[in-house]
Amino acid sequence: WALFAEDVEAILELKRTRNAVILAHNYQTPEIFHCVADIVGDSLALAREAMKVDADVIVLAGVYFMAETAKIMNPSKTVLIPDVEAGCSLADSITPADIRLMREAHPGVPIVAYVNTNAAVKAEVDICCTSGNAAAVVRSLGVPRVIMLPDQYLARNIAAETGLDIITWAGQCEVHELFTAADVRQLREDHPGVTVLVHPECPPEVVAEADFAGSTAAMSHYVGEKRPPRVVLLTECSMSDNVAVHYPDLEFVRPCNLCPHMKRITLKNIRRSLEENLHPVEIDPEIAARARRSVERMLAI
Ligand code: 13P
Ligand code: SF4
């Protein structure tokens, strides 16, 4: 605590003087998640909550596409991302030009973009989804065939869940692609009775071996509701740290892969972002308006 106290206190004071709120993703480190964040959640919750923020400033403790989504949904606010290099391998895997080529190649097939995309990509697609609502989004379209991009694993997992014909893109999350089905089998051998929860960005063969697959918020709810005595969350490292705090009676087995982008956000750069107004997210208004339409369609489901 001694390591963090000065920055935590400075951030709490800066939030008051600047009328700011901090939105933090479930993968942020515990000192951010538990000590300075006002709102925490998965990508879906952060998009919804960003719309409702009444403060002057939103600091997004997460990755760049999340800060962009907050700006898209609440454009009159100052949205700060403490490190502009906090990217995402999925968002980096696809461009607006790629979307236009997909449309030409598959005329009339609706395009669903994962929120892990940049604003210019969101502006080109028909609707967005998150890992928390992807199945509901594709079903809502009422057609047998959809394009879902850029995460090929999420798309294949949703195809298996819904039985729909889903055209994929060759993107992957650099964190979740590392988990294997052999890892799950080994965990079960090493930790008898363990309940295995996985994120749907994991490859389908990993999901097939798991007890449950869901968004970071869905994993959290599963633990709260079912109280598995021994549990493993196959996802980013901080997730178990953040959830385990609430359940000292449960045993969390903790193999994990770190997201280097999420870990670029620290107490120090959150403090600096509030002190020096770093780094405000700006989006071309025409692109932002079209991207907003895709996010709003998703939120309406
Ligand atoms: P969630 O929407 O499940 O929080 O996932 C976001 C993410 O980046 C997962 O890697
Ligand atoms: Fe992107 Fe994967 Fe990091 Fe999530 S965990 S921000 S999907 S690279």
Side-chain angles (χ1 to χ4, degrees), residues 36-110:
V36 298
D38 299 284
I39 295 162
V40 295
D42 64 355
S43 312
L44 181 59
L46 295 182
R48 279 191 200 287
E49 293 298 326
M51 276 178 91
K52 300 182 202 154
V53 168
D54 203 21
D56 298 326
V57 179
I58 298 171
V59 178
L60 202 301
V63 292
Y64 197 79
F65 77 79
M66 295 175 178
E68 269 195 337
T69 306
K71 182 71 180 173
I72 288 167
M73 300 318 287
N74 208 336
S76 67
K77 306 297 177 190
T78 297
V79 177
L80 302 175
I81 177 94
D83 185 333
V84 281
E85 300 289 314
C88 170
S89 64
L90 284 168
D92 287 347
S93 73
I94 195 156
T95 66
D98 293 328
I99 305 286
R100 291 192 285 271
L101 287 174
M102 284 297 264
R103 239 190 235 295
E104 264 174 52
H106 305 282
V109 182

Side-chain angles (χ1 to χ4, degrees), residues 22-28 32-43 45-46 49 61 217 242 246:
I22 298 178
L23 269 57
H25 185 260
N26 290 326
Y27 294 162
Q28 291 297 292
I32 295 173
F33 191 89
H34 293 290
C35 302
V36 298
D38 299 284
I39 295 162
V40 295
D42 64 355
S43 312
L46 295 182
E49 293 298 326
N242 290 331
H246 299 294

Side-chain angles (χ1 to χ4, degrees), residues 34-262:
H34 293 290
C35 302
V36 298
D38 299 284
I39 295 162
V40 295
D42 64 355
S43 312
L44 181 59
L46 295 182
R48 279 191 200 287
E49 293 298 326
M51 276 178 91
K52 300 182 202 154
V53 168
D54 203 21
D56 298 326
V57 179
I58 298 171
V59 178
L60 202 301
V63 292
Y64 197 79
F65 77 79
M66 295 175 178
E68 269 195 337
T69 306
K71 182 71 180 173
I72 288 167
M73 300 318 287
N74 208 336
S76 67
K77 306 297 177 190
T78 297
V79 177
L80 302 175
I81 177 94
D83 185 333
V84 281
E85 300 289 314
C88 170
S89 64
L90 284 168
D92 287 347
S93 73
I94 195 156
T95 66
D98 293 328
I99 305 286
R100 291 192 285 271
L101 287 174
M102 284 297 264
R103 239 190 235 295
E104 264 174 52
H106 305 282
V109 182
I111 304 184
V112 181
Y114 197 27
V115 280
N116 299 38
T117 45
N118 61 39
V121 165
K122 289 184 176 77
E124 294 288 335
V125 303
D126 298 299
I127 188 166
C128 286
C129 75
T130 71
S131 58
N133 62 14
V137 167
V138 295
R139 284 193 179 110
S140 78
L141 298 171
V143 291
R145 199 158 193 242
V146 304
I147 298 167
M148 181 184 275
L149 41 81
D151 188 340
Q152 59 170 310
Y153 295 142
L154 177 72
R156 283 165 52 195
N157 287 325
I158 296 301
E161 187 181 336
T162 60
L164 293 170
D165 178 10
I166 299 188
I167 300 165
T168 61
W169 182 257
Q172 291 94 241
C173 161
E174 69 188 82
V175 177
H176 292 93
E177 70 175 339
L178 301 177
F179 293 112
T180 66
D183 290 340
V184 180
R185 290 193 288 269
Q186 193 64 50
L187 279 161
R188 292 199 193 279
E189 212 176 299
D190 294 346
H191 307 276
V194 72
T195 299
V196 181
L197 313 187
V198 303
H199 195 279
E201 288 172 9
C202 290
E205 59 277 15
V206 175
V207 171
E209 295 272 346
D211 296 297
F212 174 79
S215 76
T216 55
M219 282 192 242
S220 229
H221 290 146
Y222 185 103
V223 172
E225 240 172 57
K226 310 243 178 202
R227 305 270 178 153
R230 179 178 265 188
V231 63
V232 61
L233 313 182
L234 283 191
T235 188
E236 211 272 343
C237 306
S238 292
M239 182 73 200
S240 295
D241 298 337
N242 290 331
V243 176
V245 167
H246 299 294
Y247 307 103
D249 52 321
L250 308 182
E251 181 196 344
F252 286 78
V253 178
R254 299 190 196 200
C256 68
N257 293 320
L258 197 105
C259 175
H261 312 291
M262 287 282 178

